Amino acid sequence: MANTYGDGEYYGNRRRAVLEAIAGEIADAREVLDAGCGNGTYLAKFVAAPGNRRVTGIDLSIEMLLSARRRVGVKCRLLCADVSRIPFKPESFDFIFASHVLQFAADLDAVVVEIARCLRPGGVLIATGQRDHSVRQMLSAIAGPDRWREYREVIFRRAPRRDADAGPDDRYQRAFARSGLRVEERAAPFTVEWADIEEFIRVRWMPVIPEDEREQAGAMLAEVAEAAKAGASGSLTQHEPLILGWRDS
């Protein structure tokens, strides 16, 4: 089982769905920026896609950039930079991608304005990261309302850095529109098996559970896994929400 955030079957299925949903925009892109590129999982796909393009990745984490460099080699530019202060001239890119980055912005409007500054006329900003509640809805259905409240309080307790993701579901759309971008919404559907869902919970949520509660959380997860495997809830279709912001010519 993978133990790195962003790896594993759950994340792989989600990435494939996102890439399929935006394949047309990738094909047309010539100057690509992955804002908050992490360990380079999307960078590698942008580099490998058919066509000629220059790909750039920025991230605040040197460790992530080193991982990205190992993944993509010398096939793209990598810079240590903050998405709130992108070190490029206006209109430098025609395709900017931000996967699970904007929900951590202290000032969402300012960050979107900064990213939009770097878009060429006709270019597009594509962001992922809005909440999809389908995993929790499935767990609630399996566990029942009373037991689910216990699971939710232990397994899905929010770490402080995730509080920025607690706003209304349309806050990205509003920030895009205020920056002058024309907004489009898409959904990238993908199907995962229970083992992938369990992996996702362990990788994403277990590290933010207080250490003295992890044993209890693990027991709860094992309990709901048994219930899922015994029932008809072995797989689930999720939708990764995508927000596209076009800078009109």
Side-chain angles (χ1 to χ4, degrees):
M1 181 176 291
N3 59 8
T4 302
Y5 183 67
D7 291 329
E9 287 300 316
Y10 180 94
Y11 295 99
N13 290 343
R14 187 170 71 183
R15 274 193 298 272
R16 284 188 287 273
V18 169
L19 290 165
E20 182 177 342
I22 61 173
E25 285 74 24
I26 296 171
D28 292 339
R30 294 297 172 262
E31 289 286 348
V32 172
L33 174 65
D34 189 342
C37 64
N39 63 10
T41 52
Y42 277 108
L43 278 176
K45 301 301 183 181
F46 297 150
V47 168
N52 296 316
R53 64 186 57 81
R54 180 165 61 171
V55 179
T56 301
I58 63 171
D59 201 278
L60 268 178
S61 168
I62 295 294
E63 181 181 357
M64 287 292 101
L65 290 170
L66 290 173
S67 295
R69 179 60 73 198
R70 288 191 293 269
R71 191 183 295 267
V72 300
V74 297
K75 297 179 180 178
C76 70
R77 295 184 297 180
L78 294 175
L79 291 86
C80 184
D82 192 330
V83 294
S84 66
R85 295 185 299 275
I86 298 175
F88 294 102
K89 295 178 180 179
E91 302 184 6
S92 292
F93 302 95
D94 55 14
F95 178 103
I96 300 178
F97 185 73
S99 178
H100 293 266
V101 170
L102 297 184
Q103 66 261 45
F104 300 116
D107 186 338
L108 178 62
D109 282 355
V111 168
V112 173
V113 166
E114 171 65 1
I115 295 175
R117 175 188 68 82
C118 298
L119 270 181
R120 293 174 177 173
V124 62
L125 162 63
I126 302 176
T128 74
Q130 289 188 295
R131 292 172 293 162
D132 179 15
H133 298 292
S134 48
V135 165
R136 302 185 202 193
Q137 289 168 350
M138 184 201 70
L139 293 178
S140 177
I142 294 171
D146 294 335
R147 194 70 172 131
W148 165 244
R149 280 192 286 271
E150 297 179 40
Y151 291 154
R152 184 181 59 199
E153 287 303 312
V154 175
I155 297 175
F156 292 107
R157 180 178 297 167
R158 291 181 183 275
R161 75 186 191 125
R162 300 197 186 279
D163 288 344
D165 195 29
D169 286 347
D170 63 350
R171 64 195 185 96
Y172 285 11
Q173 293 90 325
R174 296 200 306 270
F176 278 39
R178 283 193 288 261
S179 73
L181 300 177
R182 176 170 48 86
V183 179
E184 177 186 345
E185 299 180 42
R186 292 183 194 171
F190 62 103
T191 300
V192 290
E193 301 301 317
W194 172 256
D196 305 328
I197 297 166
E198 186 176 6
E199 175 191 42
F200 164 71
I201 294 170
R202 289 191 182 280
V203 170
R204 185 181 186 205
W205 292 103
M206 284 297 185
V208 301
I209 295 173
E211 190 171 352
D212 61 351
E213 297 180 12
R214 288 180 190 172
E215 184 176 350
Q216 179 188 7
M220 287 181 167
L221 185 56
E223 179 181 328
V224 76
E226 287 302 314
K229 292 170 185 175
S233 302
S235 64
L236 172 71
T237 297
Q238 291 199 272
H239 296 82
E240 175 79 330
L242 305 175
I243 306 298
L244 288 76
W246 296 91
R247 181 173 179 184
D248 291 327
S249 300

